Amino acid sequence: MPAPIRRDRPASRAGLAAKLALLPLGAAGAWIAWSRFGIDHDQTLHPALPGRHERLETPAGDIGLYGDATAPGVPLLLIHSVNAAANAYEIRPFYRHYAGSRPVYALDLPGFGFSERSDRVYTPRLMTDAIQAVTAEIRARHGGGQIDAVALSLSCEYLAAAALEAPGDYRSLGLISPTGFDSRFVGRHRDRTRHGGAVARAMLNAPLWGEPLFDLLVTRPSMRFFLEKTWGSKDIDEGLLAYDQASAHRPGARHAPFSFLSGALFPDAPGRLYEALTLPVWMIHGVRGDFVDYRHADRVAGRPNWTVDVLPTGAFPHFEDLASVTRHYDTFLADRDG
């Protein structure tokens, strides 16, 4: 009678553990292959806004610019936010509301939409330079006068910096759901491009896994998830989601978002920017969702040049209640003109 087979249980378990350890590597390899061969990274992207659509050559790179200058008045410049799939569609309701009643313009910031998406480190300085270049172009087209400018979310910090450097260019500033009123308000100023931001971005953007990693970030379920956090509701704008999907699947789409994710696009101590403003400033924000930390808003709310309005919305109030947002903005402008 043959002797019974004796199994080495520890060895069997070690073999199983080794096989299980390879599963994530296999899944990663499969996703990298799918990203390279199965995902379209050159999707068709139509203009996000009506009116004239052009591309300006600026020191910050080529900048996509929308404009409707059919009506007279003080020009209005609109600036979208910064995130993994940002673009001018984010200010579409505001743009469409004022088009035809005054000159209105909107840009795609560097790295987004129809602007240059080259592989470089994107910084607050670059974004501020882009805003200043577009502002100078608009002023030149309208007799050199001042303009009104409205920014959304993180871009409010860039607009504040631009206005501090060239206060004579702006009649007023509008800040929709501005960032920087949380713990960063009183933070120390550091250049993140010199303190890890560029290194972190380079690691994210490595040739082997940069594109697949970004593809994971901008899947439709992932983008819906983050928009729901922005809205504080599942009732998001489906047109924005669809446009974001196309915009995030264009050549070079990952370069600016990786600077954002690495921290290189966040100015430190934004409070020093906001508190230094002497121009008329209108600020509006919601109270719902994950981006409503305004613990330091009282640092500016009582100042004579600041007007602060609050709505029961998420962080994109102009999509949820455009009538209330524009009514508050028009009242702000009328009070300043009066």
Side-chain angles (χ1 to χ4, degrees):
M1 182 175 179
I5 299 175
R6 299 181 63 184
R7 299 186 182 277
D8 187 343
R9 293 182 181 274
S12 298
R13 291 173 181 171
L16 177 60
K19 292 176 182 178
L20 291 175
L22 291 175
L23 286 177
L25 293 176
W31 181 255
I32 289 172
W34 175 249
S35 170
R36 182 172 181 181
F37 300 109
I39 295 179
D40 182 5
H41 296 109
D42 195 7
Q43 293 188 17
T44 300
L45 188 67
H46 299 289
L49 306 172
R52 180 183 180 184
H53 184 218
E54 58 190 305
R55 203 169 182 189
L56 298 178
E57 293 184 7
T58 78
D62 290 351
I63 300 298
L65 180 64
Y66 299 90
D68 184 326
T70 56
V74 176
L76 171 64
L77 172 61
L78 304 175
I79 307 163
H80 64 79
S81 75
V82 172
N83 53 66
N87 54 76
Y89 198 106
E90 294 179 346
I91 47 78
R92 179 180 171 88
F94 220 76
Y95 179 98
R96 295 186 67 187
H97 177 82
Y98 287 104
S101 64
R102 61 184 296 184
V104 59
Y105 295 86
L107 78 157
D108 281 317
L109 288 169
F112 298 102
F114 285 94
S115 290
E116 181 182 326
R117 300 195 187 197
S118 56
D119 187 358
R120 53 181 169 168
V121 178
Y122 291 78
T123 64
R125 179 70 266 168
L126 182 67
M127 298 302 181
T128 300
D129 287 346
I131 292 171
Q132 290 179 328
V134 170
T135 296
E137 177 66 23
I138 294 171
R139 294 183 67 219
R141 294 182 184 184
H142 294 272
Q146 294 178 320
I147 71 169
D148 296 317
V150 175
L152 174 64
S153 192
L154 181 57
S155 295
C156 294
E157 299 181 36
Y158 311 145
L159 176 58
L164 287 175
E165 292 179 4
D169 290 356
Y170 302 93
R171 184 180 71 157
S172 72
L173 306 182
L175 312 178
I176 300 177
S177 300
T179 55
F181 284 92
D182 53 10
S183 59
R184 290 178 53 241
F185 189 91
V186 292
R188 263 189 326 115
H189 177 63
R190 297 169 64 217
D191 184 347
R192 290 178 187 265
T193 61
R194 298 179 185 173
H195 293 81
V199 174
R201 178 192 175 278
M203 293 177 65
L204 290 170
N205 206 27
L208 177 61
W209 59 74
E211 194 82 81
L213 181 61
F214 186 67
D215 285 336
L216 275 175
L217 184 66
V218 296
T219 61
R220 183 173 288 269
S222 176
M223 294 177 76
R224 180 179 292 277
F225 172 76
F226 282 107
L227 284 176
E228 288 177 358
K229 290 167 70 72
T230 300
W231 254 256
S233 164
K234 293 185 178 298
D235 189 22
I236 65 172
D237 187 88
E238 297 294 336
L240 175 60
L241 173 60
Y243 196 87
D244 285 353
Q245 273 282 289
S247 184
H249 291 86
R250 295 285 300 163
R254 71 185 188 274
H255 297 315
F258 279 160
S259 286
F260 170 70
L261 292 173
S262 69
L265 275 167
F266 286 87
D268 284 297
R272 67 190 173 83
L273 300 174
Y274 294 139
E275 290 187 311
L277 291 171
T278 57
L279 292 167
V281 182
W282 171 69
M283 168 178 163
I284 191 167
H285 67 84
V287 297
R288 196 178 65 235
D290 284 14
F291 307 104
V292 290
D293 186 348
Y294 291 98
R295 70 184 73 172
H296 291 292
D298 59 345
R299 298 278 291 266
V300 298
R303 298 189 173 203
N305 62 313
W306 281 75
T307 299
V308 179
D309 294 313
V310 181
L311 292 178
T313 66
F316 277 22
H318 51 301
F319 276 91
E320 295 187 61
D321 191 354
L322 177 64
S324 293
V325 173
T326 54
R327 183 176 66 253
H328 282 299
Y329 184 54
D330 291 342
T331 299
F332 161 76
L333 291 179
D335 288 345
R336 295 295 170 177
D337 288 342

